[in-house]
Every structure is written in C-alpha cells, then in structure tokens.
Amino acid sequence: MYQSREAYNAEAIGHAVGMKQGQAQGYEAGHIDGWNEAIADAKPKFQQLENQLREAREDLAIARQVNADQSFALNAAQSLVVAAIQTLENAPQEFRDNFCNAMLECSNKHIKTGHLRKISLIELSEQSCSQNIVNTIKRWCENAATRSSDLDY
C-alpha cells in the first residue's frame, strides 16, 4: 500500500489538516449547527416513512391472513365437491342431473352478484383443481345438457 511510513504520515496529516480547514470554512460561513439542522429536518421525513412502512406491514399481514383463509375455504370446498362426486358416482342419473342443475343455478346467482367470475371448464382444469373432479363434473354436465336442452352448461 504505502512505500514508506513517511508517505502514510503525510497522507494522514494532509487529511487532518484538510478536515480542520473544512470545519473552519463551515464555521465562518455560519454552518455551525448544520448537523443538528439536518437531523431536525430529516426526523419528520423519517417518521413519515416509518409510519408508511408500519402501515404497509399491517396491510401485508392482513392480506396474508385473508389469503390463508381463502386457501382454507378453497380446500374445504374442494373436499366437499370430492365427497359429492363420490356420493353421486353410483347414484341414478337423475340425481346427477339435479346436482348439475343446482350447481348451475347457484353458480349463475353468484356470478350475477359478483362473488364468482365465469370461467370455462378448460380454465378450471388448468387451475389447481383435481383433473378427476373437473372431468367428472364436465361429463355429468354434458349428460345433463343433452337431457335438458334449455339450460346452458
């Protein structure tokens, strides 16, 4: 780094002298309380940013809880659908038709109120739902649609 101790000492002395001169020039220019003024000016800005960060963290915690609740509800609904499919698999076709009609009416009601959005069975199969559930409901709805041509599945 340094070739000799004298070079190091020269740089250290130059740095100290430069700092003293800079401080003297600052005092002469009236910047005696510059650091304290800067801190006093920055404190409210820092406090505002800190409050925004705290609010963002609270919003994130709420969003995480809502996401966890929705995930739980989705898993529960999927379990109910699996149970309904298993129950109706060996039931007469009329029961499966009634299930499809009730599901259609309920879905349409929730779509109109904005609680659900209309998606195709293809889009549903691309989501995390079990392919077996989607295929079974699709088959049942197609069978029900052939018997009841006035409903659109």
Side-chain angles (χ1 to χ4, degrees):
M1 211 154 104
Y2 293 105
Q3 299 281 331
S4 66
R5 184 160 178 77
E6 290 82 27
Y8 173 78
N9 288 339
E11 182 179 343
I13 291 171
H15 179 73
V17 170
M19 288 290 291
K20 289 285 186 188
Q21 287 177 350
Q23 287 175 348
Q25 289 173 356
Y27 288 133
E28 289 172 10
H31 299 294
I32 298 172
D33 294 327
W35 178 256
N36 294 336
E37 289 174 7
I39 294 296
D41 184 48
K43 249 186 182 175
K45 294 175 186 175
F46 178 76
Q47 189 65 35
Q48 181 184 10
L49 292 173
E50 197 173 47
N51 291 338
Q52 289 174 352
L53 179 61
R54 186 179 314 106
E55 290 172 6
R57 284 182 178 161
E58 291 169 0
D59 291 345
L60 181 61
I62 291 169
R64 284 183 177 156
Q65 184 60 44
V66 167
N67 188 22
D69 293 345
Q70 288 176 342
S71 177
F72 179 79
L74 182 62
N75 289 338
Q78 191 169 356
S79 297
L80 291 172
V81 170
V82 169
I85 288 173
Q86 289 174 348
T87 303
L88 292 172
E89 188 66 44
N90 297 321
Q93 185 63 42
E94 180 185 346
F95 287 10
R96 290 191 292 242
D97 290 351
N98 289 341
F99 170 78
C100 289
N101 291 333
M103 185 176 66
L104 177 67
E105 289 174 19
C106 185
S107 297
N108 284 336
K109 182 179 86 174
H110 287 294
I111 288 170
K112 287 178 184 173
T113 61
H115 293 106
L116 285 177
R117 67 179 179 88
K118 195 171 194 173
I119 60 173
S120 66
L121 288 173
I122 295 170
E123 186 180 353
L124 184 64
S125 66
E126 292 172 354
Q127 293 180 358
S128 63
C129 294
S130 167
Q131 193 63 38
N132 186 33
I133 295 171
V134 173
N135 290 337
T136 303
I137 292 177
K138 181 180 178 184
R139 188 180 74 239
W140 289 356
C141 289
E142 288 170 351
N143 290 341
T146 58
R147 280 184 279 296
S148 175
S149 61
D150 59 333
L151 295 175
D152 180 28
Y153 288 93

